[in-house]
């Protein structure tokens, strides 16, 4: 099972297929819909350490050491419907973590997106451009060994727009958990390959339309990651909400 700090919840609506579309002026360029790996200095952005401190405040989460890979869940935690709410509340209450996250998005991720947009002629690198980013990010814990997994899906079904770019940030060592995100190269391509993201590297992809999933964690370690999205001005409607989406 993967426990996350926020939920995608949708309900059926007869009018959902005909719901109003986002009001956008441009489409996200094809160059921004391809997979990339973004490298950054962990010493400058200690999100791993901040999350380690954050998880120590959640009663159902315990640690046998000083590393996220060694964090474990209480035996009855999986049966508790309150755990994900506890994680969400812990994330929202942690100003130190959110401050580090804000700085990472603004100084690393938004700059990465802006450079790619400028390279394909969407905008001038020095011209003002507004980005809309997910806050708080989704914190995910996947203890092992377990057969539970995240099924194949795209994010459009959960109300995400085509003008968003996904970021997948692992906070545990891939060599220890041997579990990562798998993504197809284009919508419907069905050519899933693992994102070779590891500590100090962030996976970037277009999850709104490209399906992705996380296989079971067969290791004895816990996989921890953050994921979030950045919307691009002109391609993203900040006022739009998909009909039937609860949160």
């Amino acid at each position: 099972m993967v426990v996350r700090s926020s939920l995608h919840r949708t309900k059926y609506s007869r009018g959902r297929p005909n719901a109003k579309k986002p009001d956008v002026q441009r489409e996200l360029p094809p160059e921004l819909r391809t997979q990339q790996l973004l490298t950054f200095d962990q010493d400058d952005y200690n999100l791993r350490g901040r999350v380690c401190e954050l998880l120590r405040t959640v009663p159902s989460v315990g640690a046998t050491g000083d590393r996220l890979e060694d964090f474990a869940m209480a035996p009855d935690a999986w049966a508790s419907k309150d755990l994900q709410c506890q994680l969400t509340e812990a994330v929202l209450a942690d100003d130190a973590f959110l401050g580090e996250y804000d700085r990472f998005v603004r100084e690393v991720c938004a700059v990465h997106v802006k450079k790619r947009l400028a390279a394909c002629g969407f905008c001038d690198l020095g011209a003002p451009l507004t980005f809309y980013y997910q806050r708080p990010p989704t914190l995910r814990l996947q203890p092992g060994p377990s057969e539970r997994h995240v099924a194949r899906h795209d994010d459009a079904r959960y109300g995400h727009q085509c003008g968003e770019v996904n970021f997948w940030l692992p906070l545990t060592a891939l060599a220890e958990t041997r579990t990562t995100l798998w993504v197809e190269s284009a919508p419907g391509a069905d050519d899933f390959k693992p994102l070779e993201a590891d500590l100090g590297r962030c996976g970037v992809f277009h999850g709104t339309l490209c399906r992705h999933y996380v296989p079971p964690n067969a290791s004895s370690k816990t996989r921890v990651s953050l994921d979030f999205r950045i919307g691009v001005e002109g391609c993203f409607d900040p006022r739009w909400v998909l009909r039937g989406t609860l949160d």
Side-chain angles (χ1 to χ4, degrees), residues 34-53:
T34 59
Q35 298 175 28
Q36 287 203 357
L37 288 176
L38 171 60
T39 301
F40 65 95
D41 191 335
Q42 293 186 90
D43 292 334
D44 291 338
Y45 305 94
N46 187 25
L47 289 165
R48 175 178 162 98
R50 294 294 187 189
V51 169
C52 188
E53 294 173 5

Side-chain angles (χ1 to χ4, degrees), residues 69-85:
E69 291 86 354
D70 298 325
F71 274 67
M73 311 301 295
D76 60 345
W78 301 115
S80 172
K81 295 182 180 179
D82 296 331
L83 178 56
Q84 290 175 335
C85 291

Side-chain angles (χ1 to χ4, degrees), residues 7-85:
L7 295 174
H8 293 300
R9 295 190 294 162
T10 57
K11 62 182 179 181
Y12 176 75
S13 170
R14 290 181 182 274
R16 188 172 176 182
N18 300 316
K20 181 181 178 182
K21 303 300 182 183
D23 182 12
V24 298
Q25 293 72 53
R26 309 173 69 176
E27 289 192 359
L28 190 72
E31 292 85 351
L32 271 291
R33 303 184 185 213
T34 59
Q35 298 175 28
Q36 287 203 357
L37 288 176
L38 171 60
T39 301
F40 65 95
D41 191 335
Q42 293 186 90
D43 292 334
D44 291 338
Y45 305 94
N46 187 25
L47 289 165
R48 175 178 162 98
R50 294 294 187 189
V51 169
C52 188
E53 294 173 5
L54 182 156
L55 289 178
R56 293 184 188 279
T57 69
V58 181
S60 298
V61 180
T64 57
D66 296 325
R67 306 180 320 132
L68 286 175
E69 291 86 354
D70 298 325
F71 274 67
M73 311 301 295
D76 60 345
W78 301 115
S80 172
K81 295 182 180 179
D82 296 331
L83 178 56
Q84 290 175 335
C85 291

Side-chain angles (χ1 to χ4, degrees), residues 15 20 24-25 75 80 103 107 116 124 134 155-156 160 173:
K20 181 181 178 182
V24 298
Q25 293 72 53
S80 172
R103 193 168 64 87
E107 297 178 3
R116 291 177 66 184
D124 293 329
Q134 177 184 332
D155 291 345
H160 291 287

Side-chain angles (χ1 to χ4, degrees), residues 153-167:
H153 67 281
D154 60 58
D155 291 345
R157 71 180 66 179
Y158 300 119
H160 291 287
Q161 303 179 37
C162 290
E164 298 177 72
V165 179
N166 291 58
F167 290 79

Side-chain angles (χ1 to χ4, degrees), residues 5 51 59 63 66 72 90 136 141 162 177 191 203 220-221:
S5 63
V51 169
D66 296 325
L141 283 69
C162 290
T177 66
D191 56 351
S220 61
K221 301 296 183 179

Side-chain angles (χ1 to χ4, degrees), residues 100 217 221 226:
E100 194 82 343
N217 177 5
K221 301 296 183 179
L226 294 174

